[in-house]
Amino acid sequence: MTGILPYIVQLILGAIGGWVTGQAVKSVSLGTLGNVVAGAVGGVVLTWIAAYIPGIAGWIGVGALDGGGTSALIGQGIVSLIGGGVLTAIIGAVRGSMAKS
C-alpha cells in the first residue's frame, strides 16, 4: 500500500499503544501528552525497523513499508501498537531511573 495511509495508521495506533501503556503501568507513565507522543514515534519507528526483519517484513507486507493491501495494513497496525507501548515503557523506565539518581 503506497501513500500516506500506512504512516497515518502507524502514528494513530502507536499513539494508542503509548497511551494504553501509560494508563496500565503508572510507574512508566509520561503524562497523557508524553505517552501519546512517545507512542506515535514508537509506532512509526518499530514498524520501520520491522520492515527489515525477514520474518516480520513479509507479515507486514513489504521490505520498505509500502506493500500489499489490507492485510499488510493490519500487520503494520499491530506492530505499531506494540511499538508505541514499548517505546513509551522504555522512555518511562529510563526517566524513572534517572529521577531516582
Side-chain angles (χ1 to χ4, degrees):
M1 179 163 296
T2 59
I4 195 165
L5 182 62
Y7 297 105
I8 292 171
V9 168
Q10 292 165 23
L11 284 169
I12 292 171
L13 291 179
I16 291 169
W19 179 78
V20 168
T21 299
Q23 294 297 311
V25 186
K26 295 293 185 186
S27 64
V28 298
S29 180
L30 304 168
T32 302
L33 183 60
N35 293 338
V36 168
V37 170
V41 171
V44 172
V45 170
L46 186 68
T47 306
W48 177 74
I49 291 169
Y52 296 98
I53 300 172
I56 298 174
W59 185 62
I60 64 171
V62 271
L65 301 180
D66 60 353
T70 304
S71 63
L73 199 57
I74 292 169
Q76 290 176 17
I78 292 168
V79 171
S80 296
L81 275 168
I82 295 167
V86 166
L87 187 63
T88 301
I90 289 171
I91 293 172
V94 169
R95 184 176 149 222
S97 69
M98 289 177 65
K100 291 178 184 175
S101 298

